[in-house]
Structures are given as C-alpha cells and as structure tokens.
Amino acid sequence: MLAGPPAELAVRVRARLERWASVDALMVSPAVRRAAIGVSPAWRTLLRGVVEVAHFTQAPVLLIGESGTGKELVGRLVHELNESAERGALAVVDCTTIVPELAGSELFGHERGAFTGAHAGRDGAFATAQEGTLFLDEVGDLPPALQAQLLRVVQEGTYKRVGSDTWRHSRFRLVSATHRDLPARIEAGQFRQDLYFRIAGWVFRVPPLRERRDDILPLARHFLAQFQPALAGIGFDPAVTEHLLTRAYPGNVRDLRQLMARISSRHVGPGPITVGSLPQDERASEAGLAAVWREAGFEGAIGQAVSLGIGLKEISQVAADTAMRIAMRRENGNLQAAARMLRVTDRALQMRRAAWRAAAQGRGSAFDTREEPGIAPDRGRG
C-alpha cells in the first residue's frame, strides 16, 4: 500500500503507470513479437517480467527450466532489449562443451605461444561480449575451477588472457541458463554459492510446454511456416489438432519443432494437415490420447475440488466454462470456430457467454469477459 504526502504519491503513481505503459509498448514491439511466440498466461507473465528487467536494468539474469523450453531464445531477447548496452555483441558459451584444457582460452582468450598450437593470439568470450551480453548456457555444468575464475571477472570486471600478465577490463550484461537445480548443487558442493548470488540478480523460470499448452498450436503454425513458407496459415485437421494438444513433449518446444519439421516434409498437396502427414510412430490411439490429457494436471485439480467439498454439478460447470473460455481465446472470440473446436453448437456457446456476462454483472465473478482477452462480446457469431 502506498503511503506518503499526496504530491509524492501522485508522482509515484504516475511513474508506475508510465513504466507499465512502456512495458506494454515493448510487449508488442517487433523484437518481442518476432522472438516470443505464445499466448498462454504462463508465457506472457514470464515475458513481461523479462522485458522489464532487460530494458530497465543491467542486473544479471538467471534463466532456469527444463531442456528445450527456450531459455536461449529468452536470453537473446534480453540482449536485444538491453537499452543501456552500446550494441556490443552477444557471446554464447555452451558450458557443457568446454574442454578443460582449452577452457581458459575459450573464456579469456590467449596470447600467441601460450600453449602448443597457439600460433596466434585470439580473443575469448569476455572480449567478444564487451559492451554487449555474455550468455552462459548450462552454467550449472561449469567446472569448479572455472567457476572461481568466472567469479573474479563478474566481481572485478578484469581478467588476463592465457599467457599474458596484462589485466584487461570487461563490461557486459551477464545472462546465464541452466536446467540444473543450482541450490541442490550448492548443497552438494558442486556449485559455488558466492557465484550463484552473483549470477542470480533476477531469476526467471521458463515454463515447460506442458504448462503452456495454449501455445502449442501457435508454435506449430510458426514452425510450419519456417520450414515451408507455402504452409503459412494452413490449418490442422481436428484429429491432428487433438494429437498435437494431447501429445507429451519431453523435449518441450524443441521437441515440437522437430515434430513439425517431420510433418512439413510429409505434407503434400493443398488443404489442411491431416493424419496422413503424421509420421507413423506419432499415430496414437484415441484411448492413449485421452489418458495423456487427463494426466496433464486434470485429475489433480478435480481431486483438490473434491477435497474442498465442491459438488459434482459445480465441478462440471467450472470444467465446461473453462473449456469454453479457452476455445474462445484460441479462436480470437470467433463463436462458430470455438463451437466447432468444442463440438457444440454456436448457439450453446452464445448462451454460455450470456451467462458469463450475467455472473460478472451480478457478483464480479471469475467469468467476467473483460478479463478474458480471447472473448470479444461485440464480434457476433463470426
């Protein structure tokens, strides 16, 4: 709660509103729209936080999450939105591929003759990232010796090339990413606590695809257009849509991208993507698909409702309302398209939306259509 003299409060409120407006503008900027495909609440919430930190601070950023969730993409976005950077380069270092014998050269660079095979001097990642961004991918796999050396650079901003006695200065934005549980590795003595606090100025968790299933179809369309521009805007047969939405993605967004690459290479002729374009090993039974979506947090939510004493009628009502709101959002408020997705009549969906409005007016419920960006009450029936 804000406190203080009225004039001071007014200044603070205005500053906060201006910040929100700036973040809103950045969220629809070409950089964000080009790099960050997705409409789910989990993804948009992450992006909004990342956008604000990237643009208005120079603090180090740590991105955590499973493999394939798009941590490097988010890291590149931090670099692109960094207003204070003097447009230096983005240097990407994959900590899982660093060879111990050449690690010093990789990060710090080396002088000519510093070791066997060093026929010429070269810059390392710290020099490349000067006035730009250093992205350390899978920083949790960095060897202990290099953790100590990295800590010195991050703390003091100075380093020496291998084979040199000259101190060099380095100024860059540090973005790190890992799928490891760093606190657990700290407890196990595998990661330095002091380094963790240096790289974790802001910590963002990039959600797995199973937590952002609203993004599956937009991402699938995006990847199709990447692989075959002629497929841009093409639709999916209902059976393919069901398969994409209920399939497990252990490799997350990377897994989905590979699937769409395979589908794009199989699809021929005009018309939507059909089951015939799916690779043979992707053709699961309907029973198998039903099991997948029921496991995706559904039974847990129902179990919690039962534990709270909520009756079957109310559980069924909330499930139906939720499904309809999601369908409306995915179809940008188009009643007929949403009805086809849910296999109901558009009249039934229209009546449901009228119920939402009545509930919102009567008690300001969670079904208030103003809170549902995908529901456009004035669009009519399509």
Side-chain angles (χ1 to χ4, degrees):
M1 183 175 180
L2 295 176
E8 180 183 333
L9 286 177
V11 171
R12 292 165 63 188
V13 169
R14 179 177 179 179
R16 174 50 57 185
L17 291 175
E18 289 175 349
R19 170 64 64 86
W20 285 346
S22 297
V23 175
D24 287 341
L26 287 169
M27 287 290 288
V28 297
S29 67
V32 177
R33 293 169 67 92
R34 181 173 60 250
I37 308 299
V39 297
S40 68
W43 182 243
R44 301 302 292 179
T45 298
L46 165 72
L47 279 184
R48 192 171 185 87
V50 167
V51 164
E52 182 171 10
V53 168
H55 190 72
F56 293 103
T57 82
Q58 279 294 299
V61 173
L62 174 62
L63 304 171
I64 60 175
E66 299 174 12
S67 296
T69 51
K71 296 188 293 295
E72 183 173 342
L73 180 148
V74 175
R76 291 180 180 275
L77 184 61
V78 172
H79 170 69
E80 193 164 351
L81 294 178
N82 191 355
E83 186 180 49
S84 299
E86 297 178 14
R87 305 314 296 173
L90 169 67
V92 179
V93 177
D94 185 348
C95 297
T96 64
T97 63
I98 293 180
V99 179
E101 294 77 16
L102 300 177
S105 174
E106 182 76 19
L107 293 174
F108 308 109
H110 64 255
E111 299 293 340
R112 178 182 178 183
F115 49 84
T116 302
H119 302 300
R122 62 159 295 206
D123 284 334
F126 294 133
T128 303
Q130 179 68 13
E131 304 296 349
T133 304
L134 176 62
F135 181 76
L136 296 179
D137 197 14
E138 295 303 344
V139 69
D141 294 308
L142 202 63
L146 284 180
Q147 292 179 29
Q149 296 178 57
L150 175 62
L151 178 64
R152 176 182 292 274
V153 180
V154 174
Q155 285 185 148
E156 302 176 7
T158 58
Y159 68 96
K160 292 180 181 179
R161 275 183 167 186
V162 177
S164 172
D165 293 326
T166 303
W167 288 101
R168 294 169 178 262
H169 294 278
S170 185
R171 179 171 174 261
F172 53 81
R173 174 75 170 267
L174 180 62
V175 180
S176 307
T178 183
H179 74 284
R180 304 285 189 184
D181 183 344
L182 291 188
R185 291 179 76 80
I186 291 171
E187 287 291 329
Q190 298 171 327
F191 199 84
R192 296 181 63 111
Q193 186 177 51
D194 47 5
L195 177 59
Y196 175 79
F197 289 122
R198 287 290 180 176
I199 67 176
W202 286 88
V203 181
F204 293 101
R205 177 180 175 269
V206 183
L209 196 54
R210 64 180 175 275
E211 294 180 11
R212 43 179 297 211
R213 288 191 174 269
D214 282 0
D215 298 337
I216 291 175
L217 293 183
L219 284 167
R221 297 187 188 103
H222 172 72
F223 293 141
L224 270 183
Q226 275 190 337
F227 294 123
Q228 286 199 41
L231 298 181
I234 198 169
F236 298 106
D237 181 83
V240 175
T241 297
E242 182 180 28
H243 179 69
L244 292 176
L245 291 176
T246 56
R247 179 187 187 274
Y249 294 94
N252 291 296
V253 177
R254 186 183 297 126
D255 194 350
L256 174 60
R257 188 176 190 276
Q258 291 173 345
L259 173 60
M260 300 318 297
R262 298 167 68 196
I263 290 176
S264 68
S265 67
R266 290 177 55 87
H267 183 70
V268 293
I273 303 294
T274 64
V275 173
S277 297
L278 291 177
Q280 190 64 40
D281 60 339
E282 289 287 333
R283 302 179 189 179
S285 67
E286 185 174 347
L289 293 176
V292 172
W293 72 261
R294 286 173 184 167
E295 291 171 2
F298 186 79
E299 291 193 13
I302 298 299
Q304 184 177 11
V306 171
S307 298
L308 292 172
I310 297 174
L312 181 60
K313 181 178 179 179
E314 187 173 353
I315 291 174
S316 300
Q317 186 73 38
V318 170
D321 286 340
T322 301
M324 291 180 183
R325 285 183 298 163
I326 290 172
M328 290 286 287
R329 183 166 59 240
R330 288 182 177 172
E331 296 297 340
N332 296 316
N334 186 307
L335 275 168
Q336 291 180 329
R340 285 194 299 270
M341 177 180 287
L342 294 172
R343 302 175 189 174
V344 298
T345 66
D346 57 320
R347 175 61 178 166
L349 200 55
Q350 196 171 40
M351 292 176 65
R352 177 68 61 189
R353 192 171 63 177
W356 289 339
R357 291 176 181 169
Q361 293 171 357
R363 60 182 182 275
S365 78
F367 301 135
D368 187 341
T369 57
R370 292 172 297 177
E371 298 180 7
E372 295 296 329
I375 299 176
D378 298 324
R379 291 194 182 187
R381 294 181 49 171

